[in-house]
Amino acid sequence: MKAIRFSFFQMVVTMGRDMMLFMACLAPILAGFFFRFAIPVLETVLTQSFHIPAVISPYYKLIDIFFAMLSSTMFCFVSAMVALEESDEKTAVYLFITPLRKTGYLSARFGVPAVIAFLVTLVLLPAFKLTPLSPAAIFLFAAGGTLQGMIVALLVLTVSSNRLEGMAVTKLSTLTVFGAVVPFFIKDKVQYGVFLLPSFWIGKAACENGLFYMLPAFALSVMWISFLLKRYMCKM
Amino acid sequence: MIQVNDLSFSYTKSPFISGMNFSVSEGEIFGFLGPSGAGKSTLQKILIGMLRTYQGSAMVNGVECKKRTKHFYENIGVDFEFSTMYEKLTARENLQFFSSLYEKKPRPIDELLERVGLEQDADKRVADYSKGMKSRLNFIKALLHDPLLLCLDEPTSGLDPTNSHMMKNMILEEKAKGKTILLTTHNMQDATELCDRVAFIVGGKICALDSPHNLIMSKGAATVTYTWFENGEHSASCPLGRVSSDEQLKGLIAENRLQSIHSSEPTLNDIFMDVTGRTLV
Ligand SMILES: Nc1ncnc2c1ncn2[C@@H]1O[C@H](COP(=O)(O)OP(=O)(O)OP(=O)(O)O)[C@@H](O)[C@H]1O
Ligand SMILES: [Mg+2]
């Protein structure tokens, strides 16, 4: 425990010194304010100038679940960047042969940030949500979002071999988040083409007000995470 | 401290390390010598629990390396052949962080830094360190938690003679405290000076294992080589123990006609060439 605690603090210090990583951690709050206060104003302006009843408001649910995935994706992205730097500098290899070991390292770099992201989302989502969400929905969306963030981080880690590549791969792997958009825009059966993405099911749960769709989302997330973890363990 | 029985391991399908047997007792300095790519670092990685897909048995401090626990690492200090420091942090910050990972009370950081002559640079970022400075810093990182077993992979590479001498003294001090040390090196002189026993590793196998002294003795006595001038230069040699029966040499000495004479004692390097059929790089 002591080792996990200190190596997590070590990561926080690294983040504090890196402007980009620091901003990434603040992003959820900035985005929260934007979603909550700027978007409704924008909607009023748009509906009035085009004389139509709704432009963005049908997608408020989509914005809410994006927000549920945001904190976790940002925190896990930051962790992945730190972890990539640690594998560049070979400090990760050294940490594996201290009492921290691989399991402690993974806890400090992904477990702890994911738990924090989950808690942060539980606080921020009720504060910044655009649609009425039940406590159960908030809890499930926050949990689904947290797992989604871990998938992005692990994808970045397993696919790229250094920090520079990591930045590029991040842009690609955040695409997995956009599975959530599909149920909102494609009503046809074609939408099931992306059934492997947990975010698709989260989107479906929000779009069709069916929280039971979170079940496949969790099951698929666990499968993705265990598959990627195995790949990562082999690579190190 | 270490027992290895019928150990085999390979990164690929084809066999690499195979049929290794040896043991190292407490307080011993044990050397791994061998050409580049022979598997020395690989063997060390097995012994510190980094590679766990080996066959056979490798016990360190009473624990099978495959099944190492958290506690296993409280007593192992490793100096890899590459630098393993946070480049953006200072030396002191690095040492403080790494020592915080152990349950044990760490050794005083300033004292260690002073021992290797880095006290002036303790607050410099590791990125601004020279190669030799990094080597020294990595070395004391392995000592931080006062481990029972030290694995040193080419610790003196990239060091100037003074620093190399200083580091060798520190290694001997650790031995005097009863620590066990695994030392990989390409420097035969260092191996002869430091190691109680050495294992020659070639192509994943141990081809010779004994004390440097015994290995050198097994090579036979020193030889004397001398040259003289007589219609061009000539040279001859004879074993040191038989100079008195070398009539030619005796004659040359009596007539004061020797141009040069020198004896050459066998070294570990000669043993290395004998065992492996090649020289060290
Ligand atoms: N992670 C790895 N995956 C696959 N092969 C590897 C890996 N690490 C090392 N090898 C191979 O194993 C062999 C032995 O490498 P090792 O590092 O043990 O050599 P060494 O004896 O330490 O050499 P040197 O004296 O140059 O440090 C080499 O052929 C190397 O290519
Ligand atoms: Mg090596």
Side-chain angles (χ1 to χ4, degrees), chain B residues 40-41 81 153-154 184:
Chain B
K40 305 179 298 291
S41 302
E81 53 193 327
D153 204 342
E154 302 178 31
T184 301

Side-chain angles (χ1 to χ4, degrees), chain B residues 244-260:
Chain B
S244 62
S245 48
D246 186 324
E247 293 303 328
Q248 179 163 262
L249 177 60
K250 274 158 66 181
L252 288 168
I253 292 172
E255 295 164 30
N256 261 334
R257 282 172 53 211
L258 278 174
Q259 273 207 317
S260 76

Side-chain angles (χ1 to χ4, degrees), chain A residues 33-185:
Chain A
F33 274 104
F34 177 75
F35 288 167
R36 180 70 185 81
F37 301 108
I39 287 195
V41 175
L42 194 65
E43 174 73 351
T44 321
V45 173
L46 286 174
T47 45
Q48 278 169 6
S49 48
F50 292 109
H51 304 290
I52 36 177
V55 180
I56 317 176
S57 52
Y59 306 112
Y60 278 4
K61 279 178 184 164
L62 182 60
I63 293 176
D64 278 350
I65 55 168
F66 267 136
F67 187 68
M69 296 191 273
L70 186 64
S71 300
S72 167
T73 308
M74 282 302 169
F75 291 179
C76 289
F77 157 72
V78 168
S79 303
M81 286 300 133
V82 172
L84 277 176
E85 192 162 306
E86 282 171 333
S87 79
D88 284 353
E89 289 176 345
K90 303 277 196 315
T91 38
V93 173
Y94 195 86
L95 291 174
F96 294 164
I97 52 114
T98 67
L100 186 65
R101 298 188 299 160
K102 267 188 196 175
T103 44
Y105 181 76
L106 287 173
S107 313
R109 292 293 174 271
F110 298 103
V112 178
V115 169
I116 293 178
F118 177 64
L119 296 176
V120 166
T121 309
L122 279 187
V123 173
L124 293 187
L125 186 56
F128 293 127
K129 66 185 179 1
L130 290 171
T131 57
L133 289 175
S134 68
I138 289 175
F139 185 86
L140 291 176
F141 286 152
T146 302
L147 294 175
Q148 174 63 40
M150 293 178 81
I151 293 175
V152 172
L154 285 169
L155 259 177
V156 172
L157 268 186
T158 42
V159 176
S160 47
S161 47
N162 56 49
R163 207 179 131 124
L164 207 68
E165 259 178 62
M167 299 288 282
V169 176
T170 303
K171 293 188 191 115
L172 282 175
S173 36
T174 40
L175 284 180
T176 58
V177 171
F178 286 92
V181 177
V182 174
F184 284 88
F185 292 96

